[in-house]
Amino acid sequence: MILLFGFGGVGRTYAELLYERTGLRLCAVFDSGGGVAKKDGFASDEVKQLLKIPRGAAAKSGVGRAATLDEALDICQVVVDVSPPNYETAEPALSLYRRALSRGLAVVTANKAPLALAFRELAHRRLYYKATVMAGTPLVDLLMGLPPQKALRVRGILNGSTNYVMTRVYKDGVPFEKAVEEAKELGILEPDPRLDLEGLDPAAKLVIIANTLGAPFALRDVVRRPLAPLGPVTRYLATLDLEAGRASVEPVRLAPDDPIHVDYTMNAVEIVTEVNNILVKGKGAGRRETALVLLNDTLKALRG
Amino acid sequence: MILLFGFGGVGRTYAELLYERTGLRLCAVFDSGGGVAKKDGFASDEVKQLLKIPRGAAAKSGVGRAATLDEALDICQVVVDVSPPNYETAEPALSLYRRALSRGLAVVTANKAPLALAFRELAHRRLYYKATVMAGTPLVDLLMGLPPQKALRVRGILNGSTNYVMTRVYKDGVPFEKAVEEAKELGILEPDPRLDLEGLDPAAKLVIIANTLGAPFALRDVVRRPLAPLGPVTRYLATLDLEAGRASVEPVRLAPDDPIHVDYTMNAVEIVTEVNNILVKGKGAGRRETALVLLNDTLKALRG
């Protein structure tokens, strides 16, 4: 049974799909206002009720009973974290992971911040995190299939929001400032657009990729330059040089036929290994995409 | 400790890399002429000796002691199968898998035939097979990360040998028959070139992809047409329609800008899901590539 930590767009889609596609149940739901729990798990109609409440009101929903996190951890097996990233402290998620993992629970997460700040501490067989990178595309599972094949370099377009902006500028001829405004209005940029435009989001993803490949980077190790239109076809490129120990996120002009050149909200990653040159393209965002990959990790967590 | 079943090019590279990069040991080595085993595992210099013997002569090498497969299964934990595919009966590998899995051993394989003929029977948590498809590129791990995300269609260039031939024809202007002869001389085509030119190899890979996505196809379910040059840019395309329950391998003319258009021995796979459109490109062959991916599965098998 699952403790859902975060009950916004992705969390609600996850809850719906969990009941539609698996026999699993939620035993607790927490949002910014507290949480509710139920020992035998919420019935399907209780989850439908929860889906109707406003954000932040889970504890007052009257579904199940109001509970503390510790009470919820006592009755659940897996924590699924879909709370927003806090790149200053990674809290409250980081403390929750520590408590859950030390009690033997599994943690499944779409929240990049705890991994970007404390990957080495958290690296644990019971931590599942493929929803943090290229949501909807299981890149992390592919990367885990490489060692001892040595990865040498990674280049990636890891942030769909800024890629949308750059595509509007260089494919559709929209001025940069106008493209940024448009992306804000469409909800493509994060509520705090600096996470995208100053590269924290793609830098966090790059840190997660690096650690998955065995290189102990943290967020502060990634050199970041803000997004800027430098001429055709500028893309916000994340680059990892595992031999030199360097990581960066910066606007770069790509050749139009560069294999990682993708448009709008698509993501692309190229991994050069000692014997291979792997290219993966796929969707990098979306509630349903993220929720489906979280479900795959949830099923894995319960199996293994 | 590992029972290595097959001691040709990939098997020998695997043995070398196992001793170079892991602390693991071989406990038995079998080839077409029988096998040798050693209870505590072969020391590094014994493996060096084995690497010098001619093919088929492991049993006469004087390293360890001559052993039967049953004796070897008693002292090993993981079977690694790099024997050549037999698309008629899948033997002797198929019987070996049955014996190993029923005794609780794990099986790691690069041999497509047992899976192409009997995937449903073999499907088992202790069977690891990502080296069977896109050797060097962990496509299978990515596919396993999808469910319950529903895959709808797959298109792939899964056979590097025929893709080399087609690239020579349509990129380099070499006549078809001459390109086939050249690929035989270079060792790019299988010793029995019908496996490539009549599509058994890519059909077997397509069956493995389908089953990994939960669709119970077997080799006889794949419609195959032999490779033929139909005009630019012909590619030997493997197609899987999971909704209609159809699978085929046939020469098809691709648009030059088709995303799965790759040249020479590269492979490409496109997976269309209910919410995503994933493209993976990478190397599809090579001893070292295959051996490295087998090592990743070996480490996974011993962990889980």
Side-chain angles (χ1 to χ4, degrees):
Chain A
M1 283 202 300
I2 292 132
L3 189 168
L4 186 58
F5 190 71
F7 204 53
V10 173
R12 289 169 190 234
T13 306
Y14 174 89
E16 284 182 298
L17 287 167
L18 184 79
Y19 280 73
E20 266 172 46
R21 299 206 180 177
T22 76
L24 302 172
R25 283 179 164 213
L26 297 173
C27 48
V29 173
F30 281 76
D31 60 23
S32 56
V36 285
K38 191 177 177 187
K39 204 179 175 182
D40 305 323
F42 295 116
S44 179
D45 58 332
E46 290 174 309
V47 171
K48 277 181 193 143
Q49 258 182 277
L50 279 168
L51 290 169
K52 287 179 198 150
I53 60 159
R55 302 212 172 184
K60 295 172 201 151
S61 63
V63 178
R65 59 175 185 76
T68 66
L69 266 176
D70 271 315
E71 289 167 341
L73 289 170
D74 279 340
I75 58 169
C76 301
Q77 284 82 54
V78 179
V79 171
V80 175
D81 177 20
V82 287
S83 66
N86 166 352
Y87 289 112
E88 300 295 322
T89 63
E91 295 296 353
L94 181 56
S95 297
L96 174 61
Y97 296 10
R98 288 182 179 134
R99 281 149 76 189
L101 293 170
S102 70
R103 290 186 189 207
L105 277 72
V107 173
V108 171
T109 182
N111 176 2
K112 294 169 281 289
L115 294 167
L117 267 59
F119 197 104
R120 292 188 76 180
E121 178 204 328
L122 294 172
H124 190 288
R125 285 194 57 185
R126 307 218 65 199
L127 177 70
Y128 299 82
Y129 59 90
K130 69 169 162 267
T132 56
V133 185
M134 279 185 90
T137 308
L139 175 74
V140 166
D141 289 343
L142 180 140
L143 298 177
M144 285 179 175
L146 292 175
Q149 183 178 163
K150 284 176 198 146
L152 308 177
R153 292 187 300 285
V154 176
R155 293 192 310 148
I157 292 175
L158 298 173
N159 179 271
S161 316
T162 50
N163 207 54
Y164 176 87
V165 169
M166 288 291 100
T167 307
R168 289 293 283 159
V169 173
Y170 291 105
K171 188 174 176 133
D172 303 331
V174 177
F176 178 64
E177 297 301 336
K178 205 179 152 199
V180 169
E181 283 314 308
E182 183 192 276
K184 277 185 197 166
E185 279 161 29
L186 292 171
I188 290 175
L189 283 165
E190 298 269 351
D192 177 356
R194 290 172 306 170
L195 294 185
D196 297 317
L197 301 174
E198 298 181 4
L200 265 173
D201 173 88
K205 291 168 179 166
L206 195 61
V207 166
I208 293 169
I209 289 173
N211 281 278
T212 303
L213 294 169
F217 282 81
L219 193 55
R220 63 178 173 280
D221 304 322
V222 183
V223 175
R224 285 186 290 119
R225 292 192 180 81
L227 186 66
L230 303 180
V233 288
T234 303
R235 286 294 182 269
Y236 209 18
L237 194 72
T239 308
L240 177 66
D241 184 331
L242 290 156
E243 294 177 296
R246 272 197 303 263
S248 62
V249 171
E250 55 191 343
V252 167
R253 291 182 67 180
L254 293 184
D257 63 349
D258 190 303
I260 66 164
H261 180 189
V262 283
D263 284 339
Y264 301 107
T265 56
M266 288 292 282
N267 281 191
V269 176
E270 180 190 62
I271 308 117
V272 177
T273 81
E274 58 181 320
V275 291
N276 206 344
N277 201 324
I278 300 171
L279 182 73
V280 181
K281 294 184 183 183
K283 273 202 191 171
R287 283 179 190 182
R288 203 167 170 84
E289 292 81 349
T290 306
L292 285 165
V293 162
L294 285 168
L295 273 182
N296 183 277
D297 268 350
T298 305
L299 293 167
K300 275 196 181 155
L302 284 165
R303 250 185 271 130
Chain B
M1 282 201 301
I2 291 132
L3 189 169
L4 186 58
F5 190 70
F7 204 54
V10 172
R12 289 168 190 235
T13 305
Y14 175 88
E16 284 183 298
L17 287 168
L18 184 79
Y19 280 73
E20 265 173 45
R21 300 205 180 177
T22 75
L24 302 172
R25 284 180 162 210
L26 296 173
C27 47
V29 173
F30 281 76
D31 60 23
S32 56
V36 286
K38 191 177 177 187
K39 205 177 175 184
D40 305 322
F42 295 114
S44 179
D45 58 331
E46 290 174 308
V47 172
K48 277 180 194 145
Q49 257 182 276
L50 279 169
L51 290 169
K52 288 179 198 151
I53 60 159
R55 303 210 172 184
K60 296 171 199 151
S61 63
V63 178
R65 58 175 185 76
T68 65
L69 266 177
D70 271 315
E71 288 167 343
L73 289 171
D74 279 341
I75 59 169
C76 300
Q77 284 81 55
V78 178
V79 171
V80 175
D81 177 20
V82 287
S83 65
N86 167 353
Y87 288 112
E88 300 295 322
T89 63
E91 294 297 354
L94 181 55
S95 298
L96 174 61
Y97 295 9
R98 288 182 179 134
R99 282 149 77 189
L101 293 170
S102 70
R103 289 187 190 206
L105 277 72
V107 173
V108 171
T109 182
N111 175 3
K112 292 169 284 289
L115 294 167
L117 268 58
F119 197 103
R120 293 188 76 179
E121 178 203 330
L122 294 171
H124 191 288
R125 285 194 57 186
R126 307 218 65 198
L127 177 69
Y128 299 82
Y129 58 90
K130 70 170 162 268
T132 57
V133 185
M134 281 186 89
T137 308
L139 176 74
V140 166
D141 289 342
L142 180 140
L143 298 177
M144 285 179 175
L146 291 176
Q149 183 177 163
K150 283 178 199 145
L152 308 177
R153 292 185 300 284
V154 177
R155 292 191 311 147
I157 292 175
L158 298 174
N159 179 271
S161 316
T162 50
N163 207 54
Y164 177 87
V165 169
M166 288 291 98
T167 308
R168 290 294 283 158
V169 173
Y170 292 105
K171 188 174 176 135
D172 303 332
V174 177
F176 178 62
E177 296 301 337
K178 207 181 149 197
V180 168
E181 282 315 308
E182 182 192 276
K184 278 184 196 166
E185 279 161 29
L186 292 171
I188 289 175
L189 283 164
E190 299 269 351
D192 177 355
R194 290 173 307 171
L195 295 185
D196 297 317
L197 301 175
E198 298 180 4
L200 265 172
D201 173 89
K205 291 167 178 165
L206 194 60
V207 165
I208 293 168
I209 289 172
N211 281 277
T212 303
L213 294 170
F217 282 81
L219 193 55
R220 63 178 172 279
D221 303 323
V222 183
V223 175
R224 285 187 290 120
R225 292 192 179 82
L227 186 67
L230 304 181
V233 288
T234 303
R235 286 294 183 267
Y236 210 18
L237 195 70
T239 308
L240 177 66
D241 184 330
L242 291 155
E243 293 177 297
R246 273 197 303 264
S248 63
V249 171
E250 55 191 343
V252 166
R253 291 183 67 180
L254 293 185
D257 63 349
D258 190 304
I260 66 164
H261 180 190
V262 284
D263 284 338
Y264 301 108
T265 57
M266 289 292 282
N267 281 190
V269 176
E270 180 190 62
I271 308 117
V272 177
T273 81
E274 59 182 317
V275 290
N276 205 344
N277 201 323
I278 301 171
L279 181 73
V280 181
K281 294 184 182 182
K283 272 203 192 171
R287 284 179 189 182
R288 205 166 169 84
E289 292 82 349
T290 306
L292 285 165
V293 163
L294 285 168
L295 273 182
N296 182 277
D297 268 350
T298 306
L299 295 166
K300 274 196 183 156
L302 285 165
R303 250 185 270 128

